[in-house]
Amino acid sequence: MSESRKAYIPVAPPRQPLPLFQLFLVGLQHVLLMYGGAIAVPLIIGQAAGLSREEVAFLINADLLVAGVATIVQSFGIGAVGIRMPVMMGASFAAVGSMVAMAGMPGVGLQGIFGATIAAGFFGMIIAPFMSKVVRFFPPLVTGTVITSIGLSLFPVAVNWAGGGADAAPFGSPVYLIVAGLVLATILLINRFMRGFWVNVSVLIGMGLGYIIAGSIGMVDLTGLSEAPWVQVVTPLHFGMPTFSLAPILSMCLVVVIIFVESTGMFLALGKVTDREVTPGMLRRGLMCDAGASFVAGFFNTFTHSSFAQNIGLVQMTGVRCRYVTVVAGGFLILLSLLPKAAFLIASIPPAVLGGASIAMFGMVAATGIKILQEADIADRRNQLLVAVSVGMGLIPVVRPEFFAQMPQWMEPITHSGIAMATVSALILNLLFNILGGAERAAHNDTAHQH
């Protein structure tokens, strides 16, 4: 690789602060990437609970507010809370199945969901110090497998978006593919021929160009923009006092454990991308922020929160690992929660535009995992088996979401999450092959060496 090539695709992305203008643009990229995921959970739960359009809009604004505050705390750090790395926070999909079921339960509903979220957040704050001690069970073999699985489990989302979205008619229409292809081509060309600032904002440029093209051919739907208020302040307990029932609380506590497992893998992945060792203390602060955000979320009319995996790919792709970028992005989210019209405009970005950008970024997550696996003894047959089985387990919910439909409902946060399935599998197999079987393997290696 030539010196000029290295100049604009850094091996270790810069951690130093960017100029203010660049900081705002790169922060906006993070918001645009995660916005669809951030509003999806309140949309799904609001519809399941039978809320009106205005009430669903309020749920979305509440989610943006909590996500923005949690992102700032997670990235900047306040005392013993926050991992102090470029992390974006948002409502977790791990709880969607459980919450949809709760929404239809007599005597539970939305107030019961908020109560279970508060209780689960408190439970998470209690167990976070213990969960943070599991770092030693995440060697490069496990971490690389989990990160690869994160990228692969996200990739179908990117493909779905690129084809026009789940509700597209017809899905995969050439116009959707052309728009997605132009966004992807723009990002690739900027990374090939430009450097520095332009590479840092290549995703924003690609999505901006895609938005303009999509708008010019009628793909951007702004219906309802005029009815959205200019300013709306999120108030706590908007839907009434939370209620607390044992079964929903136990279900959400399990969800928090799964979120912790997923977040641990994501934090370790981000540590590899930003060239930082994630210590047990850092992990504890990060998990405490996850749990604290969920605790507060229940009072502010929203749901369990966790770090967003897709933004790890953006950190790797742009080469910007300064935590102040996501602090700025958190500020954008708070501003959007107060300005429904601005939030409406971002929500109108067509799925094809998001898909073109996400194909590159989600693929970068998987590529990072493969790179980390190179640090492990991947030539060993048992390690190869660990990677193969764990990646396969992680793809089960992606390939056939109904595969575990006959399993108990309390298992859904695990069985419906490819990341959780891959993580649990990699941890168990590493324990079986390399930790419990360590003495046997050492003896075998010594015998082989003597012969």
Side-chain angles (χ1 to χ4, degrees), residues 351-367:
V353 175
L354 291 171
S358 298
I359 285 175
M361 288 180 293
F362 296 172
M364 287 293 286
V365 177

Side-chain angles (χ1 to χ4, degrees), residues 237-324:
L237 306 178
H238 177 80
F239 294 94
M241 290 296 295
T243 58
F244 300 90
S245 303
L246 182 59
I249 288 174
L250 292 177
S251 177
M252 292 297 279
C253 286
L254 175 61
V255 167
V256 165
V257 174
I258 300 305
I259 286 174
F260 278 4
V261 173
E262 292 183 349
S263 291
T264 297
M266 293 177 198
F267 292 149
L268 293 172
L270 191 58
K272 292 293 184 180
V273 169
T274 59
D275 195 27
R276 291 189 65 184
E277 179 185 358
V278 178
T279 64
M282 292 172 63
L283 183 57
R284 181 183 67 252
R285 295 197 303 267
L287 297 179
M288 283 292 289
C289 187
D290 278 8
S294 298
F295 179 76
V296 172
F299 291 102
F300 277 85
N301 323 289
T302 186
F303 316 105
T304 50
H305 275 56
S306 67
S307 54
F308 266 38
Q310 54 261 48
N311 290 84
I312 297 173
L314 185 56
V315 174
Q316 173 74 357
M317 182 147 193
T318 62
V320 178
R321 55 183 180 174
C322 169
R323 60 186 170 132
Y324 295 106

Side-chain angles (χ1 to χ4, degrees), residues 341-392:
K341 283 188 183 293
F344 191 102
L345 287 173
I346 293 182
S348 68
I349 296 175
V353 175
L354 291 171
S358 298
I359 285 175
M361 288 180 293
F362 296 172
M364 287 293 286
V365 177
T368 300
I370 294 171
K371 178 182 177 182
I372 295 169
L373 283 173
Q374 295 175 356
E375 302 174 21
D377 183 13
I378 201 64
D380 186 283
R381 179 181 56 81
R382 283 185 283 190
N383 287 346
Q384 293 175 7
L385 193 59
L386 181 152
V387 175
V389 171
S390 299
V391 169

Side-chain angles (χ1 to χ4, degrees), residues 12 34 39 82 130-131 167 209 258 275 287 312 316 365 369 398 408:
M34 59 85 65
I39 69 174
F130 304 99
M131 290 291 292
D167 299 325
L209 178 62
I258 300 305
D275 195 27
L287 297 179
I312 297 173
Q316 173 74 357
V365 177
V398 175

Side-chain angles (χ1 to χ4, degrees), residues 11 29 43 49 87 120 123 141 166 189 214 266 344 384 394 405 421 431 448:
V11 175
Q29 280 185 144
L43 272 173
V87 176
F123 169 75
L141 178 65
L189 290 173
M266 293 177 198
F344 191 102
Q384 293 175 7
M421 289 288 291
L431 183 68

Side-chain angles (χ1 to χ4, degrees), residues 31 35 38 48 57 62 71 74 78 97 102 121 139 150 157 163 221 235-236 297 310 315 327 414 437-438 448:
V31 172
Y35 191 87
T71 296
Q74 188 73 279
I78 297 178
M102 291 179 208
I150 291 173
V157 177
D221 183 10
T235 52
Q310 54 261 48
V315 174
V327 171
I414 303 174

